[in-house]
Amino acid sequence: GWKGAINTTIINFNNEKMQIIWAARELFPRENVSFSYTFDEGKHKVWKLCPTYLLDQDYNSGCLFKTEGPTLAISIRNSNGSEELFSKRLKSDFYIKPNRPENVTFFWKEDTVTVSSNKPERAVKCLILELQYKSKFDKEWQSRTSKCCSVGEQGFDPRKCYSFRVRLKRLVPYCNVVHYSSDWEAETFWMNGTLLDSCDDDKKSLSNTVIILSCLLAVLLVMLILLILLCKWQRLQKSVMPAIPDPKYIFADLFNDHNGNFQEWIDKTDQAVVQTKLEYEEECIIEAESHQEDEKSSDKQGPQEKIFTFSGAAESNDPKAAQIACLMPTSNTRASFAGFQILMNDDMYVML
């Protein structure tokens, strides 16, 4: 009973090679055991020594040899082969580990993906094809299985990048006594039917888009802030330093009629002053006489101001009317016209 109780790991690699592993240091700590096997049945068994040992710290811990039939018998003996320490008889077909699927193809149609591979030469009915996939937002793999050698799944988002991997599995307990699966086929990355190098490319493109949009928003924000500051600066500049009026608009006749020729403008202005003086001299005299009585009364009380109103000048709003008052200086006299007031005292006058 002890000879059949030793735990061993038995793998038949696609019915091509056998691998038997045992715990050498735990089971045989002081013995470097030998291994022999046979695929023959009946009394005429031919035992073969292990061609390739697997070592664990210089101790024989396993054997690798060619698969030659469905029935296998193994024997572990001491180092010189005189004593059998362990023996077992088994069906090698129940320990098959299949090879990875070959020529895996992906077929995309809208949100449905169909994955196919070549059919193995042996025991196709004992195999199933397993598909696993996940997007960059999934933490765990999603799994789908189907009979060898095609499996399909739907519901894929064309905007997401998916990782895919496939493998073959042996059916238990109909074909295997142990759950053995092939190694995973190389992982592939797909997005909306397009093969990618990795899903990191999709993340980089997304991050680049986010960076570009952030930069654009930052530029727009800076431009808006500068525009606001410019408007506030213009308002501050106007309040602190008022704009100096352009003489071109105040002396429109100087620039429009005389093209900026100051001497010509002065000469013409003097002629207009003389003519205006003659026109308003009579009215000024009348106004002066009408106020003589007031002057006499004011002489008694003290010097007072006299106010002359040039109604014609006020009605026409002619600025040359100011020059009339300048040509008619009267002691302690105030003349008003065109919204202006001129205070005349002896030979001096002041425009208010």
Side-chain angles (χ1 to χ4, degrees):
W2 178 80
K3 289 183 180 181
I6 294 176
N7 187 23
T8 57
T9 301
I10 304 169
I11 304 176
N12 184 358
F13 291 101
N14 199 40
N15 212 23
E16 296 172 357
K17 287 186 178 181
M18 295 291 301
Q19 177 180 283
I20 312 294
I21 299 176
W22 58 87
R25 290 185 298 168
E26 289 79 2
L27 297 174
F28 317 108
R30 299 178 182 178
E31 191 82 30
N32 199 1
V33 297
S34 62
F35 178 86
S36 60
Y37 68 96
T38 182
F39 285 95
D40 297 329
E41 298 183 18
K43 296 180 180 180
H44 304 285
K45 294 181 180 179
V46 179
W47 291 90
K48 299 179 180 180
L49 292 176
C50 177
T52 306
Y53 278 103
L54 305 176
L55 302 178
D56 181 10
Q57 295 184 0
D58 296 331
Y59 281 89
N60 296 334
S61 62
C63 181
L64 186 65
F65 54 95
K66 184 180 179 181
T67 303
E68 299 175 358
T71 303
L72 172 65
I74 60 175
S75 175
I76 298 178
R77 296 176 175 270
N78 57 6
S79 57
N80 57 17
S82 60
E83 180 184 359
E84 187 177 66
L85 304 176
F86 171 74
S87 65
K88 188 174 183 177
R89 187 171 178 271
L90 53 95
K91 288 287 186 180
S92 62
D93 290 346
F94 288 167
Y95 296 87
I96 293 178
K97 178 179 180 178
N99 288 338
R100 295 187 301 179
E102 297 178 351
N103 295 329
V104 179
T105 59
F106 290 79
F107 176 74
W108 287 74
K109 185 177 181 181
E110 296 179 354
D111 66 338
T112 303
V113 178
T114 303
V115 183
S116 304
S117 67
N118 290 350
K119 291 184 178 182
E121 296 179 358
R122 302 174 183 175
V124 177
K125 294 182 179 179
C126 290
L127 297 172
I128 59 175
L129 183 64
E130 181 181 11
L131 168 68
Q132 286 191 348
Y133 63 90
K134 67 177 180 178
S135 70
K136 58 185 178 182
F137 303 103
D138 299 326
K139 294 182 179 179
E140 298 180 355
W141 290 94
Q142 307 296 320
S143 183
R144 295 292 182 272
T145 58
S146 181
K147 293 181 179 181
C148 184
C149 291
S150 179
V151 59
E153 180 63 12
Q154 60 183 5
F156 291 96
D157 190 342
R159 297 169 297 179
K160 294 181 181 179
C161 177
Y162 292 90
S163 303
F164 291 91
R165 63 183 185 180
V166 292
R167 67 179 177 179
L168 291 172
K169 298 177 67 175
R170 289 275 293 188
L171 291 174
V172 177
Y174 305 105
C175 300
N176 261 32
V177 294
V178 194
H179 289 277
Y180 279 150
S181 302
S182 71
D183 296 332
W184 289 104
E185 180 63 14
E187 186 175 348
T188 56
F189 308 93
W190 296 80
M191 182 176 180
N192 195 22
T194 303
L195 181 63
L196 304 176
D197 293 335
S198 70
C199 283
D200 293 336
D201 297 338
D202 182 50
K203 293 179 181 178
K204 289 180 181 178
S205 62
L206 181 61
S207 61
N208 291 337
T209 303
V210 172
I211 292 174
I212 292 173
L213 291 177
S214 301
C215 293
L216 290 176
L217 290 176
V219 171
L220 291 175
L221 183 60
V222 170
M223 292 178 63
L224 179 61
I225 293 175
L226 291 177
L227 184 61
I228 294 174
L229 293 177
L230 180 61
C231 294
K232 289 185 175 294
W233 169 252
Q234 290 179 349
R235 292 182 182 179
L236 179 64
Q237 192 177 25
K238 288 181 179 179
S239 61
V240 176
M241 296 180 292
I244 300 174
D246 194 342
K248 180 172 68 176
Y249 301 103
I250 300 176
F251 303 99
D253 53 348
L254 171 62
F255 293 94
N256 295 335
D257 299 340
H258 303 283
N259 296 324
N261 190 330
F262 184 78
Q263 187 62 43
E264 180 180 341
W265 177 73
I266 285 293
D267 295 339
K268 187 174 182 180
T269 302
D270 291 341
Q271 295 177 4
V273 168
V274 174
Q275 183 177 359
T276 305
K277 176 182 177 181
L278 295 177
E279 292 177 356
Y280 285 93
E281 185 177 20
E282 182 178 356
E283 183 177 354
C284 292
I285 293 173
I286 296 173
E287 292 288 341
E289 290 178 352
S290 62
H291 290 282
Q292 283 181 356
E293 295 179 358
D294 295 336
E295 291 179 2
K296 293 178 180 180
S297 58
S298 61
D299 290 339
K300 295 178 181 179
Q301 297 176 358
Q304 294 183 355
E305 296 179 350
K306 293 183 181 180
I307 299 175
F308 290 85
T309 302
F310 299 89
S311 58
E315 292 174 358
S316 62
N317 290 328
D318 187 357
K320 293 184 178 64
Q323 299 171 357
I324 300 172
C326 297
L327 296 174
M328 298 175 62
T330 305
S331 176
N332 295 332
T333 301
R334 182 189 297 268
S336 64
F337 51 89
F340 296 94
Q341 290 185 343
I342 296 180
L343 177 62
M344 291 168 284
N345 187 0
D346 297 334
D347 292 335
M348 296 179 63
Y349 60 91
V350 179
M351 180 178 291
L352 301 177

